[in-house]
Structures are given as C-alpha cells and as structure tokens.
Amino acid sequence: MRLDSGKELILRKIKDGTIIDHIPAGQALNLLKLMGITGREGFTVALVMNVESKKLGKKDIIKVEGLELKPEDTSKVALIAPMATINVVKNYEVVEKRKAVPPEIVEGVLRCRNPNCITNKPNEPVKPRFRTVNFKPPKLVCEYCGYVMTYEDIVKQLLSEQ
C-alpha cells in the first residue's frame, strides 16, 4: 500500500479473495471480528480505515486474499455494514459483485434483549426471530414481543458472541 503523487491510495490487487467496500468508517475491525478473522488464519488482509468517500463521506475497505465470502454471509455483513459492496475476486478479476442488504427476517442469529420475551425462556423451543423495519441503519423488531433492536444493539450483540 502506498500513496502516489496525486494523493491516491494504491493497494495491491489480490489474486483470489474478497473485497468489502463502503464499510461505515470505523467499522472494519468490527467486521473482521464478525467474520472471525484474527490474523492467525494465514489470509493476507489489507485494511484501510477512514478514507474519503463520495457516497459515505468516510469509509473503510477490507481486502482478504484467500477467502471467498459466501452469499449467506453477506446478510450478516449487512447488519454491521448495510451500504457495503462485496466483490469476489478470482485470478485478479472481480467475478461477482453483491450489495450487502440486511435480510427481511433475521432468525437464530441474535437474542431478544427483552428478558420477558418467550425466546429467552429456558424451556421454550422458540428461536429468536426479527423483522427488519429499517435497512440503513438496520433496525429490527422481535416478532414475538415487539422489542426494537437498534443498530448499536445489533453490532454489540454480534461482536460479543464472537
């Protein structure tokens, strides 16, 4: 990674892997944690934080060589980075581009924060289930008790379970 004379940030291309762009500024480390990337896996990881963005003002970017993010992981990424773009790279070329969109229904991923919710009762075989009522930033509502999970609640819970 280097800066050229035109103040452009230059990152080396990756041969095979994933690039996550348009991450809200300051969330890249949280996203790496959510993805379970610690640095011990052997992947080459490039991380750029707080760079200028026409779309977001400031943004983060993650490049992970050697890891192809699966489509089912895209919705999990969207809960932290709802504006993100996921690019799958093969042989130095982007072969797939996905927008991170929070799923309409989030089931079994988060716990309801309402201690009286049926999903928190030990003898009830009910998985927590949330409906997305706002996408940017994500806001979820428990389908059983109506408790509202804010973006901050979602991020905190996702990261505490890693």
Side-chain angles (χ1 to χ4, degrees), residues 117-155:
C117 182
I118 192 167
T119 62
N120 288 320
K121 303 298 178 198
N123 296 328
E124 294 291 343
V126 182
K127 283 185 184 177
R129 183 177 164 99
F130 298 89
R131 185 174 28 85
T132 303
V133 294
N134 193 37
F135 289 94
K136 296 176 184 176
K139 185 186 289 185
L140 309 176
V141 174
C142 177
E143 290 209 331
Y144 296 100
C145 72
Y147 185 89
V148 177
M149 295 274 286
T150 65
Y151 176 72
E152 292 77 20
D153 293 333
I154 295 164
V155 170

mmCIF file of all heavy atoms in Angstrom, residues 117-155:
data_model
loop_
_atom_site.group_PDB
_atom_site.id
_atom_site.type_symbol
_atom_site.label_atom_id
_atom_site.label_comp_id
_atom_site.label_asym_id
_atom_site.label_seq_id
_atom_site.Cartn_x
_atom_site.Cartn_y
_atom_site.Cartn_z
ATOM 1 N N CYS A 117 -39.260 -11.832 26.948
ATOM 2 C CA CYS A 117 -39.631 -12.409 25.658
ATOM 3 C C CYS A 117 -39.638 -13.934 25.763
ATOM 4 O O CYS A 117 -38.771 -14.528 26.422
ATOM 5 C CB CYS A 117 -38.656 -11.963 24.572
ATOM 6 S SG CYS A 117 -39.086 -12.585 22.927
ATOM 7 N N ILE A 118 -40.580 -14.555 25.097
ATOM 8 C CA ILE A 118 -40.699 -16.018 25.123
ATOM 9 C C ILE A 118 -39.426 -16.702 24.628
ATOM 10 O O ILE A 118 -39.093 -17.800 25.050
ATOM 11 C CB ILE A 118 -41.930 -16.493 24.321
ATOM 12 C CG1 ILE A 118 -42.202 -17.963 24.609
ATOM 13 C CG2 ILE A 118 -41.763 -16.215 22.833
ATOM 14 C CD1 ILE A 118 -43.544 -18.437 24.114
ATOM 15 N N THR A 119 -38.677 -16.033 23.744
ATOM 16 C CA THR A 119 -37.453 -16.634 23.202
ATOM 17 C C THR A 119 -36.349 -16.739 24.249
ATOM 18 O O THR A 119 -35.372 -17.455 24.040
ATOM 19 C CB THR A 119 -36.935 -15.835 21.995
ATOM 20 O OG1 THR A 119 -36.602 -14.505 22.414
ATOM 21 C CG2 THR A 119 -37.959 -15.788 20.882
ATOM 22 N N ASN A 120 -36.501 -16.029 25.362
ATOM 23 C CA ASN A 120 -35.497 -16.081 26.427
ATOM 24 C C ASN A 120 -35.887 -17.019 27.565
ATOM 25 O O ASN A 120 -35.161 -17.127 28.557
ATOM 26 C CB ASN A 120 -35.249 -14.665 26.981
ATOM 27 C CG ASN A 120 -34.491 -13.823 25.984
ATOM 28 O OD1 ASN A 120 -33.571 -14.295 25.324
ATOM 29 N ND2 ASN A 120 -34.901 -12.570 25.838
ATOM 30 N N LYS A 121 -37.012 -17.691 27.431
ATOM 31 C CA LYS A 121 -37.446 -18.636 28.462
ATOM 32 C C LYS A 121 -36.732 -19.973 28.232
ATOM 33 O O LYS A 121 -36.719 -20.498 27.124
ATOM 34 C CB LYS A 121 -38.967 -18.837 28.425
ATOM 35 C CG LYS A 121 -39.764 -17.549 28.586
ATOM 36 C CD LYS A 121 -39.496 -16.906 29.914
ATOM 37 C CE LYS A 121 -40.263 -15.605 30.040
ATOM 38 N NZ LYS A 121 -39.787 -14.737 31.064
ATOM 39 N N PRO A 122 -36.096 -20.538 29.268
ATOM 40 C CA PRO A 122 -35.272 -21.733 29.096
ATOM 41 C C PRO A 122 -35.997 -22.961 28.546
ATOM 42 O O PRO A 122 -35.412 -23.757 27.838
ATOM 43 C CB PRO A 122 -34.712 -22.010 30.491
ATOM 44 C CG PRO A 122 -35.430 -21.131 31.428
ATOM 45 C CD PRO A 122 -36.125 -20.072 30.643
ATOM 46 N N ASN A 123 -37.275 -23.133 28.840
ATOM 47 C CA ASN A 123 -37.981 -24.337 28.407
ATOM 48 C C ASN A 123 -38.806 -24.141 27.131
ATOM 49 O O ASN A 123 -39.603 -25.000 26.779
ATOM 50 C CB ASN A 123 -38.881 -24.861 29.536
ATOM 51 C CG ASN A 123 -38.061 -25.305 30.730
ATOM 52 O OD1 ASN A 123 -36.940 -25.782 30.572
ATOM 53 N ND2 ASN A 123 -38.601 -25.137 31.921
ATOM 54 N N GLU A 124 -38.642 -23.021 26.477
ATOM 55 C CA GLU A 124 -39.385 -22.744 25.251
ATOM 56 C C GLU A 124 -38.499 -23.016 24.035
ATOM 57 O O GLU A 124 -37.410 -22.458 23.918
ATOM 58 C CB GLU A 124 -39.865 -21.288 25.220
ATOM 59 C CG GLU A 124 -40.894 -20.957 26.266
ATOM 60 C CD GLU A 124 -42.234 -21.622 26.013
ATOM 61 O OE1 GLU A 124 -42.504 -22.076 24.895
ATOM 62 O OE2 GLU A 124 -43.025 -21.692 26.974
ATOM 63 N N PRO A 125 -38.947 -23.867 23.116
ATOM 64 C CA PRO A 125 -38.137 -24.195 21.933
ATOM 65 C C PRO A 125 -38.347 -23.196 20.788
ATOM 66 O O PRO A 125 -38.534 -23.582 19.641
ATOM 67 C CB PRO A 125 -38.655 -25.583 21.558
ATOM 68 C CG PRO A 125 -40.103 -25.533 21.942
ATOM 69 C CD PRO A 125 -40.160 -24.671 23.191
ATOM 70 N N VAL A 126 -38.323 -21.909 21.101
ATOM 71 C CA VAL A 126 -38.587 -20.871 20.106
ATOM 72 C C VAL A 126 -37.295 -20.120 19.794
ATOM 73 O O VAL A 126 -36.628 -19.630 20.704
ATOM 74 C CB VAL A 126 -39.648 -19.871 20.624
ATOM 75 C CG1 VAL A 126 -39.957 -18.822 19.585
ATOM 76 C CG2 VAL A 126 -40.913 -20.598 21.037
ATOM 77 N N LYS A 127 -36.944 -20.066 18.505
ATOM 78 C CA LYS A 127 -35.764 -19.304 18.085
ATOM 79 C C LYS A 127 -36.126 -17.830 17.982
ATOM 80 O O LYS A 127 -37.209 -17.497 17.487
ATOM 81 C CB LYS A 127 -35.299 -19.749 16.691
ATOM 82 C CG LYS A 127 -34.550 -21.026 16.641
ATOM 83 C CD LYS A 127 -34.067 -21.245 15.225
ATOM 84 C CE LYS A 127 -33.380 -22.576 15.082
ATOM 85 N NZ LYS A 127 -32.987 -22.817 13.692
ATOM 86 N N PRO A 128 -35.228 -16.954 18.420
ATOM 87 C CA PRO A 128 -35.484 -15.525 18.233
ATOM 88 C C PRO A 128 -35.648 -15.217 16.740
ATOM 89 O O PRO A 128 -34.926 -15.741 15.899
ATOM 90 C CB PRO A 128 -34.230 -14.859 18.793
ATOM 91 C CG PRO A 128 -33.624 -15.875 19.697
ATOM 92 C CD PRO A 128 -33.966 -17.203 19.118
ATOM 93 N N ARG A 129 -36.635 -14.386 16.447
ATOM 94 C CA ARG A 129 -36.934 -14.044 15.053
ATOM 95 C C ARG A 129 -37.263 -12.551 14.993
ATOM 96 O O ARG A 129 -38.129 -12.078 15.726
ATOM 97 C CB ARG A 129 -38.102 -14.878 14.569
ATOM 98 C CG ARG A 129 -38.480 -14.675 13.125
ATOM 99 C CD ARG A 129 -39.623 -15.640 12.779
ATOM 100 N NE ARG A 129 -40.282 -15.254 11.567
ATOM 101 C CZ ARG A 129 -40.036 -15.796 10.375
ATOM 102 N NH1 ARG A 129 -39.128 -16.733 10.261
ATOM 103 N NH2 ARG A 129 -40.694 -15.389 9.318
ATOM 104 N N PHE A 130 -36.540 -11.853 14.125
ATOM 105 C CA PHE A 130 -36.714 -10.410 13.996
ATOM 106 C C PHE A 130 -37.098 -10.052 12.572
ATOM 107 O O PHE A 130 -36.642 -10.677 11.619
ATOM 108 C CB PHE A 130 -35.413 -9.675 14.358
ATOM 109 C CG PHE A 130 -34.986 -9.888 15.777
ATOM 110 C CD1 PHE A 130 -34.171 -10.963 16.122
ATOM 111 C CD2 PHE A 130 -35.391 -9.027 16.777
ATOM 112 C CE1 PHE A 130 -33.780 -11.174 17.428
ATOM 113 C CE2 PHE A 130 -35.007 -9.228 18.089
ATOM 114 C CZ PHE A 130 -34.193 -10.304 18.413
ATOM 115 N N ARG A 131 -37.891 -9.013 12.444
ATOM 116 C CA ARG A 131 -38.259 -8.448 11.151
ATOM 117 C C ARG A 131 -37.488 -7.145 10.995
ATOM 118 O O ARG A 131 -37.432 -6.331 11.911
ATOM 119 C CB ARG A 131 -39.771 -8.203 11.124
ATOM 120 C CG ARG A 131 -40.329 -7.732 9.817
ATOM 121 C CD ARG A 131 -41.871 -7.654 9.848
ATOM 122 N NE ARG A 131 -42.451 -7.411 11.166
ATOM 123 C CZ ARG A 131 -42.618 -6.201 11.715
ATOM 124 N NH1 ARG A 131 -42.231 -5.127 11.083
ATOM 125 N NH2 ARG A 131 -43.173 -6.094 12.903
ATOM 126 N N THR A 132 -36.889 -6.946 9.839
ATOM 127 C CA THR A 132 -36.161 -5.708 9.569
ATOM 128 C C THR A 132 -37.169 -4.622 9.215
ATOM 129 O O THR A 132 -37.949 -4.776 8.276
ATOM 130 C CB THR A 132 -35.155 -5.896 8.414
ATOM 131 O OG1 THR A 132 -34.256 -6.965 8.767
ATOM 132 C CG2 THR A 132 -34.343 -4.639 8.185
ATOM 133 N N VAL A 133 -37.163 -3.529 9.997
ATOM 134 C CA VAL A 133 -38.089 -2.419 9.741
ATOM 135 C C VAL A 133 -37.370 -1.202 9.171
ATOM 136 O O VAL A 133 -38.002 -0.285 8.677
ATOM 137 C CB VAL A 133 -38.888 -2.026 11.003
ATOM 138 C CG1 VAL A 133 -39.825 -3.147 11.405
ATOM 139 C CG2 VAL A 133 -37.979 -1.636 12.148
ATOM 140 N N ASN A 134 -36.046 -1.214 9.254
ATOM 141 C CA ASN A 134 -35.237 -0.143 8.661
ATOM 142 C C ASN A 134 -33.960 -0.796 8.164
ATOM 143 O O ASN A 134 -33.400 -1.654 8.831
ATOM 144 C CB ASN A 134 -34.937 0.941 9.697
ATOM 145 C CG ASN A 134 -34.388 2.199 9.079
ATOM 146 O OD1 ASN A 134 -34.794 2.592 7.997
ATOM 147 N ND2 ASN A 134 -33.457 2.840 9.769
ATOM 148 N N PHE A 135 -33.501 -0.378 6.981
ATOM 149 C CA PHE A 135 -32.322 -1.011 6.394
ATOM 150 C C PHE A 135 -31.043 -0.207 6.578
ATOM 151 O O PHE A 135 -29.976 -0.775 6.657
ATOM 152 C CB PHE A 135 -32.552 -1.282 4.900
ATOM 153 C CG PHE A 135 -33.541 -2.379 4.664
ATOM 154 C CD1 PHE A 135 -34.876 -2.096 4.465
ATOM 155 C CD2 PHE A 135 -33.144 -3.704 4.675
ATOM 156 C CE1 PHE A 135 -35.795 -3.119 4.261
ATOM 157 C CE2 PHE A 135 -34.052 -4.732 4.475
ATOM 158 C CZ PHE A 135 -35.381 -4.428 4.265
ATOM 159 N N LYS A 136 -31.111 1.108 6.599
ATOM 160 C CA LYS A 136 -29.906 1.930 6.682
ATOM 161 C C LYS A 136 -30.117 3.053 7.688
ATOM 162 O O LYS A 136 -30.687 4.081 7.328
ATOM 163 C CB LYS A 136 -29.549 2.494 5.306
ATOM 164 C CG LYS A 136 -29.194 1.396 4.325
ATOM 165 C CD LYS A 136 -28.941 1.927 2.955
ATOM 166 C CE LYS A 136 -28.695 0.763 2.000
ATOM 167 N NZ LYS A 136 -28.525 1.195 0.646
ATOM 168 N N PRO A 137 -29.681 2.878 8.923
ATOM 169 C CA PRO A 137 -29.051 1.704 9.515
ATOM 170 C C PRO A 137 -30.095 0.646 9.852
ATOM 171 O O PRO A 137 -31.272 0.964 10.023
ATOM 172 C CB PRO A 137 -28.404 2.251 10.787
ATOM 173 C CG PRO A 137 -29.292 3.376 11.195
ATOM 174 C CD PRO A 137 -29.793 3.971 9.903
ATOM 175 N N PRO A 138 -29.648 -0.616 9.978
ATOM 176 C CA PRO A 138 -30.594 -1.674 10.302
ATOM 177 C C PRO A 138 -31.276 -1.454 11.653
ATOM 178 O O PRO A 138 -30.649 -1.032 12.618
ATOM 179 C CB PRO A 138 -29.724 -2.937 10.350
ATOM 180 C CG PRO A 138 -28.515 -2.601 9.563
ATOM 181 C CD PRO A 138 -28.305 -1.128 9.757
ATOM 182 N N LYS A 139 -32.565 -1.716 11.678
ATOM 183 C CA LYS A 139 -33.348 -1.708 12.917
ATOM 184 C C LYS A 139 -34.264 -2.921 12.824
ATOM 185 O O LYS A 139 -34.944 -3.127 11.813
ATOM 186 C CB LYS A 139 -34.179 -0.434 13.041
ATOM 187 C CG LYS A 139 -34.911 -0.326 14.371
ATOM 188 C CD LYS A 139 -35.850 0.854 14.426
ATOM 189 C CE LYS A 139 -35.086 2.155 14.498
ATOM 190 N NZ LYS A 139 -35.978 3.319 14.676
ATOM 191 N N LEU A 140 -34.256 -3.752 13.861
ATOM 192 C CA LEU A 140 -35.009 -4.999 13.859
ATOM 193 C C LEU A 140 -36.055 -4.985 14.968
ATOM 194 O O LEU A 140 -35.821 -4.421 16.035
ATOM 195 C CB LEU A 140 -34.067 -6.185 14.084
ATOM 196 C CG LEU A 140 -32.831 -6.292 13.190
ATOM 197 C CD1 LEU A 140 -31.959 -7.465 13.627
ATOM 198 C CD2 LEU A 140 -33.232 -6.445 11.729
ATOM 199 N N VAL A 141 -37.181 -5.654 14.704
ATOM 200 C CA VAL A 141 -38.241 -5.770 15.702
ATOM 201 C C VAL A 141 -38.489 -7.250 15.966
ATOM 202 O O VAL A 141 -38.673 -8.031 15.028
ATOM 203 C CB VAL A 141 -39.546 -5.094 15.213
ATOM 204 C CG1 VAL A 141 -40.683 -5.355 16.189
ATOM 205 C CG2 VAL A 141 -39.349 -3.608 15.037
ATOM 206 N N CYS A 142 -38.499 -7.632 17.238
ATOM 207 C CA CYS A 142 -38.774 -9.017 17.621
ATOM 208 C C CYS A 142 -40.205 -9.367 17.217
ATOM 209 O O CYS A 142 -41.146 -8.633 17.546
ATOM 210 C CB CYS A 142 -38.584 -9.204 19.127
ATOM 211 S SG CYS A 142 -38.999 -10.877 19.693
ATOM 212 N N GLU A 143 -40.355 -10.472 16.518
ATOM 213 C CA GLU A 143 -41.683 -10.866 16.053
ATOM 214 C C GLU A 143 -42.541 -11.438 17.176
ATOM 215 O O GLU A 143 -43.745 -11.599 17.000
ATOM 216 C CB GLU A 143 -41.567 -11.865 14.902
ATOM 217 C CG GLU A 143 -41.041 -11.210 13.646
ATOM 218 C CD GLU A 143 -41.529 -11.867 12.377
ATOM 219 O OE1 GLU A 143 -41.799 -13.091 12.380
ATOM 220 O OE2 GLU A 143 -41.623 -11.139 11.379
ATOM 221 N N TYR A 144 -41.944 -11.722 18.329
ATOM 222 C CA TYR A 144 -42.709 -12.294 19.433
ATOM 223 C C TYR A 144 -43.155 -11.251 20.453
ATOM 224 O O TYR A 144 -44.258 -11.331 20.966
ATOM 225 C CB TYR A 144 -41.897 -13.395 20.131
ATOM 226 C CG TYR A 144 -41.626 -14.558 19.213
ATOM 227 C CD1 TYR A 144 -40.399 -14.698 18.577
ATOM 228 C CD2 TYR A 144 -42.619 -15.497 18.944
ATOM 229 C CE1 TYR A 144 -40.158 -15.750 17.713
ATOM 230 C CE2 TYR A 144 -42.397 -16.548 18.073
ATOM 231 C CZ TYR A 144 -41.161 -16.667 17.462
ATOM 232 O OH TYR A 144 -40.930 -17.708 16.592
ATOM 233 N N CYS A 145 -42.281 -10.278 20.750
ATOM 234 C CA CYS A 145 -42.639 -9.321 21.805
ATOM 235 C C CYS A 145 -42.628 -7.864 21.334
ATOM 236 O O CYS A 145 -43.033 -6.982 22.076
ATOM 237 C CB CYS A 145 -41.723 -9.491 23.008
ATOM 238 S SG CYS A 145 -40.025 -8.898 22.746
ATOM 239 N N GLY A 146 -42.124 -7.605 20.124
ATOM 240 C CA GLY A 146 -42.115 -6.241 19.610
ATOM 241 C C GLY A 146 -40.926 -5.393 20.040
ATOM 242 O O GLY A 146 -40.858 -4.208 19.723
ATOM 243 N N TYR A 147 -39.975 -5.986 20.756
ATOM 244 C CA TYR A 147 -38.800 -5.231 21.187
ATOM 245 C C TYR A 147 -38.020 -4.751 19.956
ATOM 246 O O TYR A 147 -37.828 -5.501 19.005
ATOM 247 C CB TYR A 147 -37.894 -6.102 22.075
ATOM 248 C CG TYR A 147 -36.732 -5.338 22.653
ATOM 249 C CD1 TYR A 147 -36.851 -4.677 23.866
ATOM 250 C CD2 TYR A 147 -35.520 -5.253 21.976
ATOM 251 C CE1 TYR A 147 -35.792 -3.957 24.407
ATOM 252 C CE2 TYR A 147 -34.458 -4.530 22.498
ATOM 253 C CZ TYR A 147 -34.595 -3.888 23.714
ATOM 254 O OH TYR A 147 -33.551 -3.170 24.229
ATOM 255 N N VAL A 148 -37.560 -3.496 20.000
ATOM 256 C CA VAL A 148 -36.826 -2.908 18.877
ATOM 257 C C VAL A 148 -35.327 -2.989 19.141
ATOM 258 O O VAL A 148 -34.846 -2.514 20.177
ATOM 259 C CB VAL A 148 -37.234 -1.432 18.659
ATOM 260 C CG1 VAL A 148 -36.407 -0.807 17.546
ATOM 261 C CG2 VAL A 148 -38.719 -1.331 18.346
ATOM 262 N N MET A 149 -34.606 -3.614 18.211
ATOM 263 C CA MET A 149 -33.139 -3.695 18.285
ATOM 264 C C MET A 149 -32.566 -2.610 17.381
ATOM 265 O O MET A 149 -32.801 -2.615 16.175
ATOM 266 C CB MET A 149 -32.648 -5.061 17.795
ATOM 267 C CG MET A 149 -33.083 -6.230 18.649
ATOM 268 S SD MET A 149 -31.985 -6.545 20.024
ATOM 269 C CE MET A 149 -30.600 -7.263 19.191
ATOM 270 N N THR A 150 -31.799 -1.693 17.972
ATOM 271 C CA THR A 150 -31.170 -0.632 17.193
ATOM 272 C C THR A 150 -29.872 -1.142 16.564
ATOM 273 O O THR A 150 -29.372 -2.217 16.910
ATOM 274 C CB THR A 150 -30.826 0.577 18.096
ATOM 275 O OG1 THR A 150 -29.833 0.152 19.053
ATOM 276 C CG2 THR A 150 -32.060 1.122 18.801
ATOM 277 N N TYR A 151 -29.317 -0.357 15.670
ATOM 278 C CA TYR A 151 -28.044 -0.693 15.033
ATOM 279 C C TYR A 151 -26.975 -0.950 16.092
ATOM 280 O O TYR A 151 -26.230 -1.923 16.019
ATOM 281 C CB TYR A 151 -27.627 0.446 14.093
ATOM 282 C CG TYR A 151 -26.288 0.262 13.442
ATOM 283 C CD1 TYR A 151 -26.110 -0.697 12.437
ATOM 284 C CD2 TYR A 151 -25.193 1.042 13.799
ATOM 285 C CE1 TYR A 151 -24.882 -0.872 11.826
ATOM 286 C CE2 TYR A 151 -23.966 0.878 13.190
ATOM 287 C CZ TYR A 151 -23.816 -0.074 12.203
ATOM 288 O OH TYR A 151 -22.593 -0.250 11.601
ATOM 289 N N GLU A 152 -26.908 -0.095 17.103
ATOM 290 C CA GLU A 152 -25.909 -0.244 18.164
ATOM 291 C C GLU A 152 -26.112 -1.555 18.926
ATOM 292 O O GLU A 152 -25.147 -2.240 19.254
ATOM 293 C CB GLU A 152 -25.958 0.957 19.128
ATOM 294 C CG GLU A 152 -25.496 2.261 18.520
ATOM 295 C CD GLU A 152 -26.518 2.927 17.586
ATOM 296 O OE1 GLU A 152 -27.735 2.609 17.662
ATOM 297 O OE2 GLU A 152 -26.091 3.755 16.762
ATOM 298 N N ASP A 153 -27.376 -1.907 19.212
ATOM 299 C CA ASP A 153 -27.682 -3.181 19.882
ATOM 300 C C ASP A 153 -27.207 -4.361 19.039
ATOM 301 O O ASP A 153 -26.633 -5.323 19.557
ATOM 302 C CB ASP A 153 -29.196 -3.353 20.101
ATOM 303 C CG ASP A 153 -29.801 -2.382 21.090
ATOM 304 O OD1 ASP A 153 -29.080 -1.909 21.993
ATOM 305 O OD2 ASP A 153 -31.008 -2.096 20.955
ATOM 306 N N ILE A 154 -27.474 -4.294 17.743
ATOM 307 C CA ILE A 154 -27.123 -5.384 16.824
ATOM 308 C C ILE A 154 -25.610 -5.586 16.787
ATOM 309 O O ILE A 154 -25.112 -6.695 16.948
ATOM 310 C CB ILE A 154 -27.676 -5.091 15.406
ATOM 311 C CG1 ILE A 154 -29.205 -5.070 15.422
ATOM 312 C CG2 ILE A 154 -27.147 -6.113 14.401
ATOM 313 C CD1 ILE A 154 -29.835 -4.430 14.197
ATOM 314 N N VAL A 155 -24.865 -4.491 16.584
ATOM 315 C CA VAL A 155 -23.406 -4.573 16.497
ATOM 316 C C VAL A 155 -22.832 -5.114 17.798
ATOM 317 O O VAL A 155 -22.015 -6.038 17.790
ATOM 318 C CB VAL A 155 -22.785 -3.191 16.153
ATOM 319 C CG1 VAL A 155 -21.272 -3.223 16.294
ATOM 320 C CG2 VAL A 155 -23.192 -2.763 14.752
#
